[in-house]
Amino acid sequence: MSMRDTVSQILDGIDNAKKKAGRTDEVTLVAVSKTHPWSAVEEALKAGLTTFGENRVQELSGKFPLQREGYTLRLIGHLQSNKVRQVIPYVDAIDSVDSLKLLKSVNKEAARVDTVMPVLLQVNTSGEVSKSGFESAEDVYRCLDEASGLSSVQIEGLMTIGPLTSDEYAIRTSFADLKRLQGDLQGRYPELSFRELSMGMSSDYLIAVEMGSTMVRVGSLLFGARDYT
């Protein structure tokens, strides 16, 4: 199947999941090009995709040009504070902010280059110790209470990684928890939008759309198996 056909099939699936949930709002397909070469990105661009996600700072800075035209690039993987300066020029958003320390680092480096960086706060809704993210709503509250003076970051929503399981109930519960937290935060911090919910990957993106995701991160379904050699 061609890339164009694959993209069409995925978008049709998203539309069907939206209809099932009675949704009419937009869902962004983030093409996760992790481990795949620039030629694969070009193929996806030709197929009409305009939003890309990368996990590692070193890989994205070696693959993507500094000047981006016709697409946006989001960092979706764990980010260490000492890599923030390196990544800021390359990305249009950071979706994996998992601590106040990291949020302050992003704010500092964005201010240094006179920009405002959109961010998502990553929440660990699965309880799996292997995953990054704020562990509880209280942790998110504490971060936001201390972040009010940070003017070079724009908090736009939340991100989570669903549990690695075939148990659909567990996946739905994880996504429902993030949706519930979004509502709590919108009430508690009306000056912030929290409009984005980034949840769902190749294995569970249709469930995520049914549960309210506005951004799904799809890699292997688009590009094929990842090459870690």
Side-chain angles (χ1 to χ4, degrees), residues 2 38 49 64 77 84 90 95 99 106-107 110 118 136 140-142 163 176 182 186 195-196 200 222 227:
S2 71
W38 174 248
L49 294 182
F64 286 84
V84 172
Y90 281 93
D95 295 352
S99 69
V106 173
N107 182 75
S136 67
V140 177
Y141 297 156
R142 276 193 290 273
Q182 178 193 39
Q186 285 170 332
R195 68 179 181 272
E196 299 290 1
L222 277 170
D227 180 5

Side-chain angles (χ1 to χ4, degrees), residues 196-229:
E196 299 290 1
L197 277 187
S198 177
M199 54 189 195
M201 301 191 293
S202 288
S203 61
D204 55 17
Y205 73 100
L206 295 176
I207 297 172
V209 172
E210 285 182 39
M211 301 302 290
S213 177
T214 66
M215 200 174 280
V216 293
R217 311 178 302 273
V218 177
S220 53
L221 266 186
L222 277 170
F223 297 106
R226 294 191 175 116
D227 180 5
Y228 290 102
T229 56

